[in-house]
Amino acid sequence: MIDPAPAELFIGLMSGTSQDAIDGVLAEFPADAQPRIIATRSTPLEARLRRQLDELQRPGSGDLDLALRLHHELGHRFADCALNLLSTARVPPHAVRAIGSHGQTVRHSPEGTAPYSLQLGNAALIAVRTGIATVADFRSTDIAAGGQGAPLAPAFHQAVFGTTGRRRAVLNLGGMANVSLLGADVSGWDVGPGNVLLDLWALRHLGQPFDADGRFASTGTVDASLLAALLTHPFMARPPPKSTGREDFNPRWLDGLLAGFPNLHPADIQATLAEFTAVGVVQALASQPEVEVLLVCGGGARNADLLRRIARRLPALDIGTTSRAGIDPQWVEALAFAWLARQRVHETALDLGRITGARQPVILGCIYMP
């Protein structure tokens, strides 16, 4: 009788386009069972760091010295998160097979003659400080193979949420929103902004980094003309595979549109931005009648107003968070990068052709040894 392969421990570190925090998980991956989260950690990014990241990402700008300093600083932040996870769980570094660090995206441009996706967060520094092999730069190989480099999570969503008789989709409401259609032929794509515009407007008018529970949006009224203008963004009409980021949906673009609507109340603008996010989701799912269940994750899963808007437009769907399937929605993305690190360590090629458009299966990520 052959003994089963032992369970392995991996750490996943994630900072998304919302730029609000570094989320980390320490997870156990049995050979033939679902992963189990052992410890979690969320480390907020302070306002100064968020402002610097915003400065770096303004269209047409780019300070190389600032980028390198943030690369170093974020590397320390990711390492701190990993070390705090180990301390909380009382797990020694040598017990962890690898860390999967997504980094912080500051540029994502998968189209054109020189496609790329750039994440900051020095993985070599993370490896040296933690003493654990660190996998990073998950997107470049997919782009080299002709893919969008995003979204990468649908393959993970299929692995952990796809084993059910009812046809499921997963909606990640991070800074950007993306959907995963689970099943034998898993597919997925970015559908438009998730929280990024909502957070921007909440910061301006509430002095808060986000609209808690969507309460600000719930006091406003959707302006049909502004919603129609938002929906004219070229990304919304593009067919998948497609991915997006702050290059498409940013303060400059939004302010340019709002210049044509000078008399709208701020709460009405917030309500319209929430409806814009909801419509992007609906456009992706309305043509998928076989989907019965929608599992929501990411920061937007805590926005009750946004979920109500989506549910009103998709009344036939059974909508809930990924907690129904055993994973808290806050930790799904970090767990995905622990899973992706596991695929890299085991040299497992992923076929993402129906997701990113890559021409061939590829092994994602580069390994940095301590």
Side-chain angles (χ1 to χ4, degrees):
M1 180 177 178
I2 299 175
D3 291 333
E8 296 178 310
L9 297 180
F10 286 85
I11 287 174
L13 302 173
M14 177 69 194
S15 181
T17 48
S18 290
Q19 298 177 176
D20 55 348
I22 296 170
D23 287 337
V25 300
L26 172 65
E28 180 183 63
F29 288 82
D32 50 8
Q34 296 291 64
R36 180 176 69 91
I37 294 177
I38 296 171
T40 62
R41 180 84 176 187
S42 187
T43 305
L45 299 180
E46 68 270 26
R48 184 268 308 169
L49 187 53
R50 294 200 303 272
R51 283 195 301 271
Q52 289 180 312
L53 287 166
D54 286 342
E55 178 184 338
L56 194 63
Q57 294 175 77
R58 284 196 195 100
S61 69
D63 182 333
L64 181 58
D65 183 65
L66 175 60
L68 294 172
R69 285 189 284 114
L70 290 178
H71 184 57
H72 181 80
E73 182 175 355
L74 287 166
H76 277 297
R77 300 297 182 88
F78 284 112
D80 288 342
C81 186
L83 291 169
N84 284 322
L85 282 169
L86 295 174
S87 176
T88 297
R90 297 183 179 180
V91 169
H94 66 78
V96 178
R97 185 74 189 271
I99 294 170
S101 179
H102 172 267
Q104 179 65 61
T105 299
V106 292
R107 288 284 193 279
H108 183 72
S109 181
E111 309 284 349
T113 57
Y116 61 87
S117 186
L118 177 63
Q119 288 73 42
L120 301 184
N122 191 332
L125 190 154
I126 298 169
V128 169
R129 281 199 56 202
T130 61
I132 302 170
T134 299
V135 187
D137 191 17
F138 287 94
R139 303 188 188 277
S140 292
T141 305
D142 182 82
I143 291 174
Q148 290 278 312
L152 300 180
F156 166 73
H157 294 158
Q158 175 65 28
V160 296
F161 301 129
T163 55
T164 177
R166 302 179 75 191
R167 184 73 189 273
R168 287 174 168 176
V170 178
L171 168 64
N172 174 47
L173 287 171
M176 302 300 153
N178 54 70
V179 297
S180 304
L181 305 179
L182 308 185
D185 295 316
V186 61
S187 61
W189 61 93
D190 286 355
V191 300
N195 305 311
V196 65
L197 300 178
L198 295 169
D199 293 349
L200 163 67
W201 202 247
L203 185 62
R204 284 188 186 179
H205 293 278
L206 302 177
Q208 300 294 326
F210 59 91
D211 179 13
D213 210 28
R215 287 191 289 270
F216 183 34
S218 70
T219 66
T221 301
V222 173
D223 184 89
S225 296
L226 175 58
L227 179 59
L230 291 165
L231 288 167
T232 62
H233 192 294
F235 178 83
M236 305 305 292
R238 280 177 49 197
K242 61 178 181 175
S243 59
T244 189
R246 288 173 178 256
E247 292 80 11
D248 291 321
F249 300 101
N250 53 59
R252 177 189 284 184
W253 172 76
L254 180 61
D255 289 341
L257 273 183
L258 293 179
F261 300 87
N263 299 318
L264 285 184
H265 189 276
D268 294 341
I269 293 175
Q270 186 78 353
T272 307
L273 293 174
E275 199 70 19
F276 179 40
T277 291
V279 171
V281 173
V282 171
Q283 286 180 341
L285 293 174
S287 61
Q288 308 294 328
E290 70 279 7
V291 174
E292 301 172 83
V293 178
L294 180 63
L295 299 177
V296 186
C297 61
R302 298 191 295 271
N303 187 326
D305 173 76
L306 181 54
L307 295 187
R308 282 192 294 269
R309 293 175 189 277
I310 294 169
R312 278 199 299 267
R313 288 177 173 269
L314 294 170
L317 281 188
D318 179 9
I319 300 176
T321 75
T322 53
S323 293
R324 284 189 186 180
I327 302 177
D328 186 300
Q330 179 171 347
W331 309 115
V332 171
E333 279 203 286
L335 185 59
F337 280 89
W339 182 86
L340 285 166
R342 183 173 184 250
Q343 308 313 301
R344 176 61 184 89
V345 166
H346 289 280
E347 298 187 358
T348 303
L350 299 179
D351 186 354
L352 302 179
R354 289 176 55 85
I355 301 168
T356 67
R359 293 185 295 268
Q360 64 193 57
V362 289
I363 298 174
L364 302 179
C366 299
I367 300 177
Y368 293 79
M369 301 302 294

